[in-house]
Amino acid sequence: MKKPPMIILPTKLEGCFQIIPNILRDERGHFVKTFHEELFHEHGLETVFREEYYSASQRGVLRGLHFQTPPQEHTKLVYCVQGTVLDAALDLRAGSPTYGQHLTMELSGENGHMLYLAPGVAHGFYTLSEQALMMYKVSTVYAPAHDSGILWNSAGIAWPSDNPVLSQRDQGFAALADFASPFVYRGSAA
């Protein structure tokens, strides 16, 4: 029986999935498929991504917790192609049974794991390795007027450091307790 190109596992945050690719390894290194339209479609996941980015971060850098507000909210697929990060997702969907809850997982170039985030879920990560290269696919085009975030240390996430390297922008976000969510929970839809 042929191995599937990836395994898609639900997480405790509805509409968010851990994706574990079938990594092909040999003496040259490894090869990883990061997207499979048919399989995503079968699982009810977004298959149209409008933009793709990458970021390079040094050890101790924390980026997040980021999102775009309606009507420019987006689905996001993130993965680490070099190095290792502690990745975090925070549910901001009003009415969600997991509103204000988060999940964390290690993403690395070695394990190849990916995190699929539903609209209304904030994303951030902390760099554990000397350097990490993170990739992001998003379903909407970047809209500066809708770009926002939650203060990194206000959601109960156990980050590896209490003193990460942060951008000025990320230091200025509102705390989760002060956030009035524009996102609406839509049941089991991703």
Side-chain angles (χ1 to χ4, degrees), residues 55-59 80 82-85 127-133:
S55 66
S57 302
Q58 305 302 315
R59 183 186 304 276
C80 183
Q82 177 189 355
T84 306
V85 302
T127 306
L128 297 168
S129 54
E130 268 316 299
Q131 186 175 54
L133 187 61

Side-chain angles (χ1 to χ4, degrees), residues 132-168:
L133 187 61
M134 285 288 287
M135 300 291 299
Y136 318 75
K137 292 182 190 310
V138 292
S139 62
T140 60
V141 173
Y142 175 67
H146 296 274
D147 187 36
S148 193
I150 294 293
L151 189 62
W152 68 280
N153 61 354
S154 68
I157 299 169
W159 296 109
S161 172
D162 292 334
N163 191 28
V165 178
L166 295 160
S167 70
Q168 187 172 16

Side-chain angles (χ1 to χ4, degrees), residues 6-10 17-20 36 39-43 45 116:
M6 55 190 62
I7 298 168
I8 299 176
L9 302 172
F17 298 86
Q18 180 179 17
I19 302 175
I20 303 171
H36 190 279
L39 195 56
F40 273 46
H41 184 73
E42 286 173 19
H43 284 82
L45 306 184
Y116 176 97

Side-chain angles (χ1 to χ4, degrees), residues 89-104:
L90 172 66
D91 191 347
L92 299 175
R93 299 167 292 184
S96 167
T98 55
Y99 178 85
Q101 293 183 33
H102 67 273
L103 64 86
T104 60

